[in-house]
Amino acid sequence: LGGLMRIFGVHASAGDLTARWDEIMGDKIASVAEIVAIKQTRNKKFNIVLRAINPAMTLGLSYMRDDITAKINKYFGYDAVEKITFRK
C-alpha cells in the first residue's frame, strides 16, 4: 500500500500509522502492542515507542522488532523506521 500511495503522490504520516495500526500489524502484534509515541527525525525517519498491553509481553515484542520494522517500512514504502523502543 505504501508504494502505491507514493506512486499517486499520497504520503503516509505518523497519524496514518496510528490510525491503521491494527491493519498494518495484524492481529498477532496489534492485540499485544500499542503506539505510545512517534517522533520524526531530521532525516525523515521515525523513532517509535511501543508499549505491551501486558508488561510481561515486552520481551516477546522485542523479539518481534524486525517483523514490526518490516511491516512499518512496507506500509510507508521506504526505510521509515530509525528505531523502535519498548516501554513496560
Side-chain angles (χ1 to χ4, degrees):
L1 182 61
L4 286 175
M5 291 172 68
R6 192 171 36 188
I7 289 170
F8 292 108
V10 178
H11 299 284
S13 68
D16 295 331
L17 177 62
T18 302
R20 301 181 74 191
W21 179 251
D22 294 348
E23 178 185 337
I24 296 165
M25 287 298 119
D27 291 337
K28 180 179 178 183
I29 295 171
S31 66
V32 296
E34 61 185 10
I35 296 175
V36 175
I38 302 175
K39 295 179 185 172
Q40 191 166 18
T41 63
R42 290 182 184 168
N43 63 358
K44 304 293 185 200
K45 292 190 174 197
F46 296 97
N47 290 332
I48 301 170
V49 180
L50 301 177
R51 178 177 37 227
I53 303 297
N54 179 342
M57 296 178 174
T58 304
L59 181 62
L61 272 177
S62 70
Y63 293 138
M64 292 188 244
R65 184 186 319 257
D66 291 341
D67 189 34
I68 294 168
T69 299
K71 288 180 180 198
I72 294 171
N73 287 341
K74 183 177 179 181
Y75 173 71
F76 279 103
Y78 69 98
D79 233 3
V81 177
E82 178 83 19
K83 177 173 66 171
I84 293 180
T85 55
F86 300 94
R87 287 192 190 158
K88 293 184 181 182

